[in-house]
Amino acid sequence: MARSAEQALLREGESPDTVRSYRSALRYWAAWFGGRYGRPIALPLGEAAVLQFIVDHAARTEAADGRACELPPALDAALVAAGHKGRPGPLGLSTLLHRVSVLSTLHRQHALDNPCAGPRVRALLAGTRRAHARRGDGPAKKPALTREPLEALLATCDDSLCGQRDRALLLFAFASGGRRRAEVVAATVENTPREGAHYIHVMGRSKTNPEGRARSDQLKPVTGRAAQALADWLGAAGITSGPLFRRVRRGDVIGEPLAAAAVRDIVRRRCALAGLPEDYSAHSLRSGFVTEAGRQGVPLGETMALTGHRSTASLIGYFRGAVTQSAAARLLEPEAEAAPPAPAPQPGEP
């Protein structure tokens, strides 16, 4: 009984996105193991199986038979046909590492011997990371939704209820510090009180604060255009309590709160309406905020206070293209080129 309660608390403490990703990874392990060994998967898994999983899915450029990985073609095709894989071939490095990490977590939670912690597995994973780095196969990052493309998205938002909601959502997510999609849908009237012409969003639980502890940077201002758009949406929708952003059903009926995936869908739909060629995602709002702050010379401390980053190293990872505009990169430039002189005063001017 205590064990089941412990597991329930652990599940409740995880975000819905994390739970979904864990379940997807474990379904894949079961499907791969069954196809590879012809029997159901059972814990604890042996180290040999984990090593086989890695070589089956890690991309290699020096395979003797020219194949990109060791996964048998028939099993690869079966995994794709069953919906466990999106396409044939090796997994991306981040996906491979995540699936090994999920299996490791599962063994730790059940107090079982962990095959992922063995020296051979750790050495193979380290070598796989180095091989990807040597080939320049870094993780793909979505482009930043900076001010210019964001304005293009906002221009597609009309005065319909859907248009007002999407305008308010995009501006709220960007202007309050580049909120993650789970944070956007967690915003409520109660945790986003209005103060005059502004709103103050009080951040609770987040990725960098999973326990929801009180912190000095919990207050995220929503001002200017973002505040006006939020007020317009809430007034038009008649929302006075509960989640800020909700589904608009046929006939302009306000429905249930938006799920996190809906934020991604709104960004994609507005990008399509704006005719933007870039592959933006919901997370592009976060990198866009950080990049735009860098472009406009906002001090790192102020940017971090809104994003919630705890280190400058992780914050800088969100910059997309702003590094070339850094003053630190222009230390050898003549002062006249680095900063144009102010115009000379005209006669009669102070």
Side-chain angles (χ1 to χ4, degrees):
M1 190 69 175
R3 181 65 178 172
S4 62
E6 175 188 350
Q7 294 300 316
L9 285 171
L10 288 171
R11 287 193 299 270
E12 188 176 349
E14 295 288 357
S15 72
D17 285 346
T18 299
V19 172
R20 279 192 294 270
S21 72
Y22 273 44
R23 287 174 177 168
S24 175
L26 293 175
R27 284 195 297 268
Y28 188 87
W29 269 103
W32 169 83
F33 189 91
R36 200 51 153 121
Y37 297 102
R39 64 179 189 273
I41 193 171
L43 300 183
L45 210 60
E47 185 180 49
V50 178
L51 292 168
Q52 187 65 59
F53 183 89
I54 296 170
V55 299
D56 271 3
H57 295 93
R60 292 196 298 136
T61 57
E62 300 175 355
D65 57 2
R67 287 187 299 170
C69 64
E70 293 301 304
L71 190 63
L75 176 55
D76 198 6
L79 290 169
V80 172
H84 297 296
K85 289 185 71 182
R87 61 180 181 273
L91 296 176
L93 178 61
S94 59
T95 302
L96 173 59
L97 296 176
H98 176 261
R99 288 183 177 165
V100 174
S101 174
V102 168
L103 186 74
S104 177
T105 299
L106 187 65
H107 280 77
R108 290 199 309 271
Q109 287 181 345
H110 288 81
L112 299 171
D113 289 339
N114 188 356
C116 306
R120 292 181 62 193
V121 170
R122 288 189 295 173
L124 182 57
L125 288 176
T128 301
R129 291 190 191 93
R130 289 194 296 269
H132 277 74
R134 190 175 296 114
R135 293 194 297 265
D137 296 340
K141 293 185 176 181
K142 296 292 185 181
L145 199 55
T146 51
R147 181 168 185 168
E148 295 82 1
L150 178 61
E151 293 288 5
L153 266 62
L154 294 172
T156 70
C157 299
D158 57 21
D159 290 331
S160 66
L161 273 179
C162 279
Q164 291 189 67
R165 179 201 62 195
D166 292 358
R167 182 187 299 114
L169 184 150
L170 291 169
L171 285 169
F172 172 88
F174 185 93
S176 64
R179 302 271 62 83
R180 301 175 181 89
R181 59 184 190 175
E183 295 167 356
V184 171
V185 298
T188 65
V189 172
E190 290 75 19
N191 65 25
T192 314
R194 188 167 187 171
E195 296 188 4
H198 315 293
Y199 291 86
I200 302 296
H201 178 56
V202 184
M203 281 284 295
R205 186 181 184 277
S206 67
K207 184 177 180 180
T208 55
N209 185 18
E211 286 111 17
R213 294 176 179 173
R215 293 193 340 195
S216 59
D217 61 352
Q218 279 184 304
L219 304 183
K220 314 297 181 182
V222 182
T223 66
R225 294 169 62 193
Q228 186 59 57
L230 183 57
D232 291 344
W233 154 246
L234 294 177
I239 296 173
T240 58
S241 63
L244 297 182
F245 302 110
R246 309 186 190 190
R247 185 176 177 183
V248 179
R249 295 185 174 276
R250 185 174 298 178
D252 284 348
V253 175
I254 302 302
E256 66 275 17
L258 292 181
V263 180
R264 173 202 61 205
D265 295 340
I266 288 171
V267 171
R268 290 178 176 174
R269 182 169 64 251
R270 292 297 167 183
C271 283
L273 290 172
L276 297 182
E278 298 278 9
D279 183 24
Y280 294 107
S281 70
H283 212 62
S284 296
L285 290 163
R286 188 164 176 80
S287 58
F289 174 83
V290 174
T291 302
E292 190 62 41
R295 286 179 176 177
Q296 297 192 26
V298 177
L300 283 179
E302 292 185 29
T303 302
M304 293 171 67
L306 263 66
T307 62
H309 284 98
R310 306 298 284 175
S311 73
T312 55
S314 58
L315 176 78
I316 290 172
Y318 281 85
F319 278 91
R320 306 284 192 274
V323 290
T324 58
Q325 301 178 23
S326 169
R330 301 176 182 275
L331 297 180
L332 297 178
E333 298 295 323
E335 290 185 6
E337 294 181 20
Q346 298 299 313
E349 292 183 354

